[in-house]
Amino acid sequence: VAFLNFYIDKYKVLISSKDTMIRHFVLVEPFRVIFDFKANKNFLTYKKNINSFIKKVVIGNHNGFYRVVLYTDGVYKPIIKKVTEGYLVDFK
């Protein structure tokens, strides 16, 4: 999507966005990390399979926010840090 970019390096993911993250949480079976960003955007759900420890990215539109879901190849403890470009997620 035009307003969001992902950069994956080893076990770190940079979510490049100017929007504010309002919450994040983890769900299991399958293991995935969910990020909600505050914004009123109108777009169709985007899905992309990736050949990395991140197996799939899904971005969906909701009322007043959009959701980014990162499906992984195992169980991780994501550590999230706000950076200039957006958010850096270190999967430990």
Side-chain angles (χ1 to χ4, degrees):
V1 290
F3 55 88
L4 193 63
N5 287 304
F6 297 91
Y7 302 96
I8 300 171
D9 182 31
K10 297 181 184 172
Y11 288 93
K12 293 184 181 184
V13 177
L14 174 63
I15 302 173
S16 180
S17 174
K18 294 181 181 177
D19 299 320
T20 302
M21 184 185 304
I22 53 177
R23 71 183 145 258
H24 68 278
F25 53 97
V26 173
L27 294 175
V28 294
E29 293 189 31
F31 189 87
R32 59 210 182 272
V33 184
I34 294 94
F35 305 92
D36 290 342
F37 290 88
K38 184 176 181 176
N40 285 316
K41 303 207 186 275
N42 190 14
F43 62 94
L44 296 174
T45 297
Y46 173 83
K47 297 178 184 180
K48 173 95 174 157
N49 290 324
I50 300 174
N51 189 15
S52 173
F53 78 99
I54 300 293
K55 293 300 178 189
K56 180 168 62 171
V57 175
V58 179
I59 306 167
N61 189 22
H62 295 271
N63 189 17
F65 70 97
Y66 62 91
R67 176 165 286 171
V68 174
V69 182
L70 302 179
Y71 291 82
T72 64
D73 65 357
V75 176
Y76 297 91
K77 179 182 178 186
I79 299 169
I80 300 153
K81 179 180 178 184
K82 174 76 173 115
V83 294
T84 305
E85 301 86 6
Y87 297 89
L88 182 63
V89 186
D90 191 359
F91 288 83
K92 299 275 184 187

